[in-house]
Amino acid sequence: MRRLFLLLCLLFAMPALGAGLLDNRPSATLGAINNSSDFLPVREAFKLNLISSTPESIKLRFVPTEGYYLYRHRFAFKTEPADIALGTAQLPPGEAKHDEYFGDVEVYHGILDVDIPRPANDSRPFTLVVSYQGCADKGLCYPPETERLSIDGTTVTSTGTPAKAWNWRELALFFLAGLGLTFTPCVLPMLPILSGVVLRGQVGGLRGFSLSLAYVLPMAACFALLGALMGMFGAQLNLQARLQSVWVLVPFALFFGIFALAMFGVFELKLPQAISNRLDRVANRTQGGSLWGAAVLGVVSSLLVSPCVSAPLAGALLYISASGDALGGGLKLFALGLAMGAPLLL
């Protein structure tokens, strides 16, 4: 009887033991979810920007990150309310690809501009519903994604809030970032430049402030020009992908190695004597205490400061290039440059 009881207990316990063993197995689904941490969120992998909205058409720009692509046949564009009819979206030809899920398809790896004709004589505001789907080259395919853009005749952000391509909050953030960059080691030497070369002993007053402003504004204007150019051409160049290329990384690594050897005294890096003497003559002819001389020194100082703040500046330029907005990019970097010069004005 005791053996029979033990046998029955063992029979009843086996299903529970089996379930416990199955629960302790690595789950294929869980592994796939964990592996997805190696991939970007869908809206970082595929960035959607509203470039322009006119009474005739709407222009959208998709910027897939390097290593990700979008399906041509998975785009869909609808309106809310539905009685506002749109024309057929104009999509360029894509790259031919044989997909294991969809068969022979066309995909987009690079930047994609989409033009959507708007209805004639209908200026009502509406919501544009954009649907798309993409995958990563490494194998992860995202489910279909939907974003909503508010269309009311002005450029809006991708969150659907009516606004310009830039807003005052972003300008304020760039201004605060410029204040932070002011205290980097390469910016501090600008203080003796301003006091010793620009002002030339003039103390305070409206004249001193005017000279300081004439020094700071051209410096900020140089940053603004760089931001405008990046906003205009940066997305087309796809700098984020190009800067990660082997053809860029390897030469820069070699340059850093050469510069390190120079810092250890293996050899000396300096300009040729002819160029150095000419620059000295130009600097000596530049009049301190004049508005024109202060402006020239401001431009030169922007070139000296840029390498020191190259890392945060590169991040800001990549952010601006993805927006495709020249005016917004110029204003943002102008705010950055003004903030870097604000302590000098004070």
Side-chain angles (χ1 to χ4, degrees):
M1 182 63 68
R2 182 178 299 175
R3 293 178 180 177
L4 179 60
F5 178 77
L6 292 176
L7 180 60
L8 290 175
C9 290
L10 181 61
L11 289 174
F12 283 116
M14 285 182 65
L17 292 173
L21 291 174
L22 291 175
D23 289 339
N24 290 330
R25 291 185 313 171
S27 171
T29 304
L30 182 60
I33 294 175
N34 288 339
N35 289 336
S36 66
S37 62
D38 298 331
F39 299 92
L40 295 173
V42 61
R43 296 200 180 184
E44 293 183 17
F46 312 105
K47 296 179 180 179
L48 170 61
N49 297 295
L50 176 56
I51 301 302
S52 64
S53 173
T54 66
E56 293 79 23
S57 66
I58 302 168
K59 185 174 182 179
L60 306 177
R61 173 169 291 166
F62 291 87
V63 185
T65 304
E66 182 75 9
Y68 295 80
Y69 60 88
L70 289 163
Y71 290 109
R72 187 177 193 270
H73 71 287
R74 299 296 290 173
F75 284 106
F77 307 95
K78 300 179 181 179
T79 60
E80 295 176 354
D83 61 337
I84 298 179
L86 294 176
T88 303
Q90 300 175 7
L91 294 166
E95 308 169 25
K97 177 181 176 63
H98 182 76
D99 190 86
E100 60 178 323
Y101 300 105
F102 300 113
D104 294 327
V105 295
E106 294 182 24
V107 300
Y108 301 103
H109 274 93
I111 294 171
L112 170 65
D113 288 337
V114 181
D115 290 317
I116 307 173
R118 291 187 62 174
N121 302 323
D122 191 346
S123 58
R124 291 178 295 166
F126 64 93
T127 299
L128 177 63
V129 182
V130 182
S131 300
Y132 58 90
Q133 186 176 9
C135 296
D137 289 333
K138 294 182 179 180
L140 175 68
C141 281
Y142 296 87
E145 181 71 9
T146 299
E147 294 192 42
R148 285 173 165 79
L149 305 174
S150 294
I151 307 298
D152 60 357
T154 60
T155 304
V156 298
T157 61
S158 60
T159 58
T161 303
K164 296 183 179 180
W166 52 271
N167 56 47
W168 294 109
R169 181 177 298 178
E170 291 182 344
L171 295 182
L173 289 176
F174 272 82
F175 189 85
L176 291 176
L179 288 177
L181 293 177
T182 303
F183 300 98
T184 53
C186 288
V187 182
L188 294 178
M190 294 169 64
L191 287 171
I193 292 175
L194 181 64
S195 60
V197 180
V198 178
L199 298 181
R200 288 286 177 92
Q202 300 187 30
V203 180
L206 182 60
R207 179 64 178 174
F209 181 80
S210 300
L211 289 170
S212 303
L213 193 62
Y215 175 79
V216 170
L217 285 180
M219 180 186 67
C222 289
F223 284 104
L225 178 61
L226 183 59
L229 292 176
M230 288 300 299
M232 186 179 300
F233 302 110
Q236 300 174 10
L237 297 175
N238 199 5
L239 286 180
Q240 186 173 7
R242 294 180 185 273
L243 290 177
Q244 296 175 3
S245 169
V246 175
W247 299 102
V248 175
L249 296 177
V250 171
F252 270 87
L254 294 175
F255 286 144
F256 286 136
I258 294 172
F259 295 155
L261 293 176
M263 294 182 67
F264 281 108
V266 177
F267 59 92
E268 183 180 0
L269 280 176
K270 63 180 182 179
L271 289 172
Q273 192 69 24
I275 299 177
S276 179
N277 292 336
R278 178 166 297 186
L279 290 177
D280 289 338
R281 288 196 298 268
V282 172
N284 292 331
R285 286 199 302 265
T286 302
Q287 295 181 358
S290 68
L291 296 178
W292 175 251
V296 172
L297 289 173
V299 173
V300 174
S301 296
S302 67
L303 301 178
L304 296 176
V305 170
S306 296
C308 185
V309 296
S310 57
L313 186 60
L317 292 177
L318 288 176
Y319 172 77
I320 291 171
S321 68
S323 68
D325 177 33
L327 176 61
L331 289 174
K332 289 168 186 173
L333 280 198
F334 186 73
L336 184 85
L338 281 181
M340 293 177 64
L344 304 178
L345 291 174
L346 293 177

